[in-house]
Amino acid sequence: MFSSNPPLGLYVHLPWCEKKCPYCDFNSHQSHSIPQQDYVDALLDDLEQDLPLIWGRRIESIFIGGGTPSLFSAESIDRLFSGLRSLLNFAPAIEITMESNPGSADTANYRGYRAAGVNRLSIGIQSFDDTRLTILGRVHDSNQAESAFVQAREAGFDNINLDLMFGLPGQDTAAAQADLAKAIELAPEHISHYQLTLEPNTLFHHQPPADMPDDDQCWEQQLACQAQLAEQGYRQYEISAYCRQNRVSNHNLNYWQFGDYLGIGAGAHGKITLAGEDRVLRRVRLRQPQAYLAKQGRDRISSEVELTAADLSFEFMLNALRLSEGFDSRLFHDNTGLTLNQVLPTLQQAQDKGLLNFHADKIRPTALGFSHLNDLQALFLQLQASKNRPFFESGQVITHN
Ligand SMILES: C[S@@+](CC[C@H](N)C(=O)[O-])C[C@H]1O[C@@H](n2cnc3c(N)ncnc32)[C@H](O)[C@@H]1O
Ligand code: SF4
């Protein structure tokens, strides 16, 4: 039984990009003419349908992701926020992040986003090496990447994340560290550092680029980069997330702590607790932007699933074990409505294997567990698979940078 609802965030998906990157499996679609007005109307209409589910609750964070949200004009983003403010109760210290691609960076636009209420910017840099940016199919070069950061600062952003990838074609450890050094020189508050993965349904999966580093080389890059970030004062608080002065991404932290979130926009996912009814719903919107735009009301939902106890305990662990500091056992009860007894045998098993520490109500992956997170999570997957439906219908890790 829930004693109260978990903290609530809002994710807004803007699904268009100037050009589709060959490694990307996000719900993003190449377009040269974005129906900005209609889409903002559709988003607000979409949100209205969900309001009965969150009556009286406060929004702690918002993430405008994509796709490339920075293709939307400052006027459109302002109109979106006027609508959101009229429908929702924003927390006084609300964190509002927006993703931006250096190819569409512009100081005037950045100022407009800032004025509309965006107070955290996430810039997709990927690399500062022009050859690799070309292989990655990016629409910008390294100068534009750097200048996007400078423009964001000029526009008043004092909380900026840079996305970087490693394990890139032709990249060795020295090159990965050189990318990171360039990012650190800019002194962003947050760095998201992802290993490039060849996702099914991407061009790179079908035609892998030449010279991809192997697993051992990627591991070497990761260890060297982790050490470099630590030396420069960036604390790793999640598998791919590093920050200075505790400027964590509150929005992502809420996902990893298994908080609630509304998801509006094409293909967006939401997870909402109805504490009074002791139920948790997972809702997904229609994925294709045109289909999403064409519909009204509940029709935009492509699936709604009520999570079972086994789903809840598995999904909680899948997310919370990504946190380097782990979590308090009370959080498990608060955000799943279950008692820890549900997962005690598996926690014990993980502890016996040296993957987890569990004492004084604190549960934390060991260094071994953190570096072999898949093995640790797999223990909880077995628990879920034995009790429930197949993994792909559940098992969500959502991260927005
Ligand atoms: C949805 S994108 C948003 C940023 C923006 N669209 C851009 O690319 O500049 C979020 C981030 O996910 C990371 N990403 C996307 N595809 C990836 C992949 N296949 N492997 C690793 N990281 C990936 C990239 O670092 C990217 O910046
Ligand atoms: S990586 Fe970013 S810019 Fe590239 S296609 Fe994906 S969402 Fe669009």
Side-chain angles (χ1 to χ4, degrees), residues 303-315:
S303 81
E304 179 174 299
V305 177
E306 185 173 332
L307 299 183
T308 64
D311 289 335
L312 289 167
S313 41
F314 168 62
E315 290 195 19

Side-chain angles (χ1 to χ4, degrees), residues 55-240:
W55 208 240
R57 294 176 66 179
R58 211 169 66 161
I59 303 291
E60 307 295 335
S61 64
I62 298 180
F63 197 102
I64 315 284
T68 303
S70 54
L71 290 176
F72 275 60
S73 68
E75 292 70 31
S76 296
I77 297 298
D78 187 52
R79 205 163 70 79
L80 172 65
F81 275 100
S82 302
L84 295 179
R85 276 197 195 87
S86 70
L87 294 172
L88 297 169
N89 176 15
F90 284 17
I94 189 167
E95 173 193 274
I96 302 180
T97 305
M98 180 169 161
E99 283 184 334
S100 157
N101 182 312
S104 55
D106 166 294
T107 308
N109 259 351
Y110 280 173
R111 282 191 205 284
Y113 302 148
R114 186 77 195 82
V118 178
N119 53 24
R120 182 172 183 272
L121 205 68
S122 175
I123 308 178
I125 302 279
Q126 321 311 348
S127 172
F128 286 101
D129 180 306
D130 284 337
T131 312
R132 268 182 272 282
L133 287 172
T134 307
I135 296 171
L136 292 173
R138 299 292 294 177
V139 294
H140 58 88
D141 62 18
S142 57
N143 284 334
Q144 284 168 290
E146 186 173 344
S147 128
F149 182 86
V150 173
Q151 291 178 76
R153 283 283 194 239
E154 278 169 10
F157 283 99
D158 64 1
N159 195 3
I160 301 181
N161 168 60
L162 301 184
D163 284 344
L164 277 187
M165 294 194 292
F166 67 96
L168 299 178
Q171 193 176 45
D172 60 13
T173 300
Q177 290 200 275
D179 267 351
L180 202 47
K182 183 78 205 165
I184 292 170
E185 203 181 298
L186 296 172
E189 284 65 34
H190 194 285
I191 294 179
S192 299
H193 197 237
Y194 302 108
Q195 179 177 341
L196 174 66
T197 48
L198 302 187
E199 301 286 351
N201 302 320
T202 63
L203 196 66
F204 270 12
H205 192 259
H206 300 297
Q207 296 164 25
D211 274 346
M212 282 291 287
D214 63 24
D215 286 351
D216 287 347
Q217 290 166 320
C218 287
W219 182 237
E220 187 187 302
Q221 288 184 22
Q222 185 174 330
L223 290 181
C225 290
Q226 275 172 341
Q228 187 181 357
L229 281 155
E231 266 164 34
Q232 299 297 324
Y234 286 89
R235 177 175 71 87
Q236 181 176 22
Y237 67 101
E238 188 264 352
I239 285 292
S240 308

